[in-house]
Amino acid sequence: MEQYIIRGGNPLAGEVEISGAKNAALGILAAAIMTDETVLIENLPDVRDINVLLEAMESIGVKVERITRHAVMMNSAQIGDVSVDYEYIKRIRASYYLIGALLGKYKKAVVPLPGGCNIGSRPIDLHIKGFKALGAKVEIRNGFIFANAEHLHGSHIFLDTVSVGATINIMMAASMAEGYTIIENCAREPHVVDVANFLNSMGANIKGAGTDVIRIRGVQKFHKTEYSVIPDQIEAGTFMFAAAATRGDIMVKNVIPKHLEATSAKLLEIGCEVEEFDNAVRVVASKRLCSTNVKTLPYPGYPTDMQPQIGVTLALAKGTSIVTESIFENRFKYMDELARMGADVRVEGNTAIITGVERLTGARVSAPDLRAGAALVIAALAADGITVVDDIVYIQRGYECFDEKLRSLGAEIEMINSEKEAQKFRLRCG
Ligand code: UD1
């Protein structure tokens, strides 16, 4: 099993290029099956989740041609099967976007029901509610969702909870329904806007994405397009906190600074300098940072996917911070690992109370999920001594060349496969 081995203590400095947004790309790839014409998608991140979704799509008959590491041509004229295998859903929850896309185009879809996951229960009742409101019959049998409709028709849908997945899934199905759909209490995340822009570039008629009311006039057919995915705001934010925690100086390039406002605001609050450029953000931390309180919220609030990164940074800040997780119930598992590195943390329900310590020390820790795994790498980079991070397969789901990008900023980090490789690293970097 692959691990990261890290010797901490170097302030990270230099420039890093951010890849395309994984969560936008997942929605866009699924939506791309809605046309029979050929679609070119660029700026895809080369990460495990994207590659698994592409495999899932190939398994139902989508022709996928990789043009470069970051671009694919797709043709979905020959989809022979609207039934997706459990193997893929197990490996990547977001293959549920295929329900909205298949239902919109073929008026039927058979997709396994995704289970819970490491960050908590992940129901999809709102997605189903939306499909039903559009006229689909939705049944759950033998672990599968069977959705089908004679016709999909426009509807007025109110989402009880702000959900990125439900907003995107319903938007896809509604964009090929007959008539007019209004979705209220929508998620406003940049990737909702990106998927809507992509659908519009294929001929959809979607207005209001990025606000909490989306209006959709259904169309019958989509056409070919060429589209480039937006930069990944969570990858960008992760490097911004890597600069903060290691008291470094990083220019994070190929970003949309507007998407990073909640992250930048928190970094300023804890004592970093943050400088915005047209498509870059520079974060400098020249002194010990100070505590703050933070609560995760839907966009434009502070993102739940950035909660562990600020959590590990606050573990080294002066004073006591309170971090409240209001989106997923099980996102503090990394706190136990952080405590093993010497952090002073206490979790009570959906709140973590973090009293900053002067230094963390290297330990063997395990990545509990994607973002928490990346956060533990940040903690290790800021800690004294050597840390080994297990279960990095989670991190590889969403970060392209994470170790390589960190090394280019001066980090001592390596991916290893054996104790022998670990010993070599220790001898070299001890
Ligand atoms: C997406 C992101 C994930 C991020 C999350 C919140 C992708 C592929 N994943 O996940 O990285 O952490 O947004 O920003 O884009 N809920 C329901 N019923 C539903 C759907 C959701 O109750 O049918 C609840 C969830 O339990 C959660 C909240 O709504 O408490 C928000 O979840 P949601 O925005 O749907 O997250 P995902 O789309 O799964």
Side-chain angles (χ1 to χ4, degrees):
M1 286 300 252
E2 288 169 337
Q3 302 163 306
Y4 285 140
I5 188 163
I6 297 157
R7 195 183 74 89
N10 297 351
L12 299 194
E15 295 182 352
V16 64
E17 281 285 333
I18 297 308
S19 301
K22 168 183 85 76
N23 288 347
L26 291 168
I28 288 170
L29 287 175
I33 68 166
M34 297 179 79
T35 174
D36 282 346
E37 298 183 15
T38 299
V39 167
L40 170 68
I41 302 168
E42 295 176 303
N43 202 33
L44 282 175
D46 184 12
V47 295
R48 209 158 279 196
D49 273 11
I50 296 297
N51 297 328
V52 173
L53 181 60
L54 285 169
E55 274 177 48
M57 291 167 64
E58 281 183 297
S59 78
I60 56 169
V62 180
K63 298 263 170 301
V64 177
E65 191 189 336
R66 268 205 187 268
I67 306 297
T68 66
R69 185 172 178 192
H70 298 119
V72 292
M73 293 262 250
M74 282 175 41
N75 185 287
S76 304
Q78 306 291 331
I79 289 184
D81 194 355
V82 292
S83 161
V84 181
D85 203 272
Y86 179 61
E87 184 52 35
Y88 300 109
I89 280 275
K90 206 173 63 185
R91 287 160 70 197
I92 166 197
R93 285 182 48 85
S95 26
Y96 60 40
Y97 284 141
L98 292 170
I99 312 174
L102 289 167
L103 185 64
K105 186 179 180 194
Y106 297 107
K107 313 298 175 236
K108 57 182 180 192
V110 181
V111 177
L113 191 64
C117 76
N118 294 1
I119 60 174
S121 152
R122 307 277 292 264
I124 61 160
D125 54 310
L126 295 173
H127 306 228
I128 293 175
K129 178 180 157 178
F131 299 143
K132 284 185 174 168
L134 296 172
K137 266 211 232 127
V138 185
E139 266 183 359
I140 296 172
R141 266 188 284 126
N142 309 113
F144 282 77
I145 299 169
F146 293 80
N148 64 78
E150 291 269 307
H151 305 284
L152 289 178
H153 55 73
S155 182
H156 194 150
I157 300 162
F158 190 93
L159 297 178
D160 305 312
T161 305
V162 177
S163 159
V164 173
T167 303
I168 291 179
N169 231 341
I170 298 167
M171 184 169 78
M172 288 197 288
S175 66
M176 279 201 156
E178 281 168 33
Y180 197 56
T181 296
I182 301 176
I183 315 174
E184 305 221 36
N185 199 29
C186 295
R188 291 179 280 167
E189 266 71 1
H191 41 296
V192 173
V193 180
D194 211 32
V195 177
N197 287 341
F198 171 73
L199 286 163
N200 283 341
S201 78
M202 290 197 299
N205 184 347
I206 301 170
K207 296 202 168 91
T211 74
D212 56 7
V213 184
I214 296 182
R215 295 165 202 277
I216 303 162
R217 166 107 29 223
V219 299
Q220 282 189 340
K221 218 170 162 198
F222 288 163
H223 52 70
K224 66 181 176 185
T225 187
E226 296 183 358
Y227 197 82
S228 180
V229 177
I230 52 166
D232 196 309
Q233 52 155 347
I234 306 300
E235 188 198 9
T238 303
F239 281 99
M240 290 162 78
F241 274 106
T246 64
R247 296 198 206 170
D249 177 351
I250 302 182
M251 179 73 92
V252 185
K253 294 173 77 175
N254 184 32
V255 299
I256 299 172
K258 172 92 191 133
H259 296 168
L260 296 165
E261 276 175 355
T263 299
S264 298
K266 279 295 158 197
L267 286 164
L268 282 168
E269 229 174 274
I270 62 176
C272 295
E273 291 159 49
V274 181
E275 208 180 338
E276 281 185 9
F277 301 87
D278 284 348
N279 55 5
V281 175
R282 180 179 174 200
V283 179
V284 184
S286 42
K287 54 181 190 299
R288 188 173 180 205
L289 301 173
C290 54
S291 59
T292 190
N293 298 334
V294 59
K295 180 176 181 179
T296 61
L297 287 169
Y299 188 86
Y302 188 85
T304 174
D305 285 355
M306 289 297 302
Q307 183 263 102
Q309 298 87 324
I310 196 169
V312 299
T313 306
L314 294 174
L316 283 162
K318 194 160 178 278
T320 298
S321 304
I322 297 177
V323 178
T324 307
E325 172 56 58
S326 76
I327 312 284
F328 293 111
E329 76 267 24
N330 205 1
R331 265 202 133 155
F332 283 134
K333 280 198 211 151
Y334 71 97
M335 288 291 179
D336 288 338
E337 305 297 299
L338 203 54
R340 301 184 63 246
M341 299 176 74
D344 180 351
V345 290
R346 201 172 77 241
V347 176
E348 287 175 8
N350 70 340
T351 301
I353 299 136
I354 305 171
T355 302
V357 293
E358 293 267 355
R359 53 179 44 85
L360 295 172
T361 49
R364 182 152 182 180
V365 295
S366 166
D369 59 69
L370 165 59
R371 305 302 171 186
L376 288 172
V377 170
I378 297 178
L381 291 167
D384 290 346
I386 288 186
T387 295
V388 174
V389 183
D390 288 318
D391 295 332
I392 64 168
V393 61
Y394 288 116
I395 303 175
Q396 292 163 338
R397 282 185 37 210
Y399 288 89
E400 180 175 323
C401 302
F402 196 39
D403 50 335
E404 213 175 297
K405 289 187 185 186
L406 288 167
R407 270 196 301 279
S408 77
L409 296 166
E412 290 177 82
I413 175 170
E414 244 168 60
M415 189 152 65
I416 53 167
N417 254 316
S418 65
E419 186 46 37
K420 204 168 152 201
E421 285 175 5
Q423 271 167 9
K424 266 198 203 158
F425 180 91
R426 285 194 181 94
L427 281 175
R428 205 174 54 248
C429 303

